Amino acid sequence: LARARAGDRASFEELVRAYFRRAFGIASVIVYDREEALDATQEAFLRAWASMPRFRPGEPFFPWLYRILRNACLRSIEKRTRARALSIHEEEGRAPISIPDGRRGPVEEVSSEETRRLFWEAYRELPENDREILALRHFAELPYGEIASVLDIPVGTVMSRLFHARRRLRERLDPILGGA
């Protein structure tokens, strides 16, 4: 981090290699489109590189990067929304795509395509704050402390938001899945 902050491109490339998969996974869940997620992730790393001199030593890198990534994702969604408003035909939503890493994630644990589709429909209907906190905890697998840092909220608030987001998701899924 210190070398990257000082302008060492090779050191920053190491950070990109270390965090790209995690950042892309989060972007996929936020924007629901593989290409947009790749673009947003690349934009976030480019902006992070340009902002490295302002990175505070001793601060964890990923929460700082996440704030940049989140803004890139929101800009991507805003562009898409404007483009749709101008378009006569609306695209169908796409489920997020993940880069396989040999581990089974939350989506892969779902047993059938239909159940997976229903899960993503219910997830997309959640308020943005619920989707974000669920994505950070269950898709990015961040610990509560890191989520608190990323969102700049107390750990207790993270726990409360997660509890309520999970409850709202369960409420949407129970009627569909029969309480399974």
Side-chain angles (χ1 to χ4, degrees):
L1 279 172
R3 289 191 313 266
R5 188 171 178 271
D8 181 8
R9 185 179 295 259
S11 295
F12 187 76
E13 288 172 3
E14 286 179 42
L15 291 171
V16 172
R17 280 191 295 279
Y19 290 100
F20 189 87
R21 183 180 307 270
R22 182 191 267 186
F24 174 74
I26 291 172
S28 295
V29 173
I30 294 172
V31 301
Y32 301 115
D33 181 277
R34 186 182 197 288
E35 295 305 315
E36 281 185 47
L38 282 170
D39 289 346
T41 304
Q42 290 172 354
E43 178 186 338
F45 278 106
L46 287 172
R47 288 179 184 266
W49 170 246
S51 300
M52 278 308 290
R54 293 190 303 274
F55 178 76
R56 288 183 292 215
E59 184 176 312
F61 180 72
F62 190 75
W64 179 77
L65 175 66
Y66 174 77
R67 289 187 285 274
I68 297 169
L69 176 66
R70 181 178 186 237
N71 290 333
C73 289
L74 294 176
R75 278 190 297 278
S76 178
I77 291 169
E78 186 179 307
K79 284 181 207 172
R80 181 186 345 140
T81 302
R82 277 196 309 262
R84 281 186 180 171
L86 298 173
S87 173
I88 295 172
H89 304 288
E90 191 169 305
E91 288 181 27
E92 287 186 25
R94 296 185 196 126
I97 306 296
S98 61
I99 297 176
D101 65 352
R103 295 183 318 173
R104 289 172 59 97
V107 176
E108 290 77 26
E109 294 297 328
V110 179
S111 60
S112 73
E113 284 297 318
E114 179 65 10
T115 305
R116 189 174 299 131
R117 184 186 64 73
L118 293 171
F119 169 83
W120 286 113
E121 281 180 22
Y123 179 82
R124 279 192 291 271
E125 291 173 3
L126 291 171
E128 181 180 331
N129 285 343
D130 287 352
R131 290 191 317 264
E132 180 177 43
I133 200 131
L134 288 168
L136 291 172
R137 179 66 185 138
H138 296 290
F139 301 114
E141 300 177 348
L142 296 183
Y144 289 178
E146 207 165 320
I147 295 170
S149 175
V150 162
L151 298 178
D152 196 26
I153 58 176
V155 172
T157 304
V158 169
M159 295 167 69
S160 174
R161 285 188 188 176
L162 271 168
F163 173 82
H164 292 292
R166 289 171 180 147
R167 181 183 46 79
R168 282 188 279 275
L169 181 59
R170 192 171 35 255
E171 286 171 357
R172 283 177 167 73
L173 289 171
D174 277 349
I176 298 168
L177 300 176

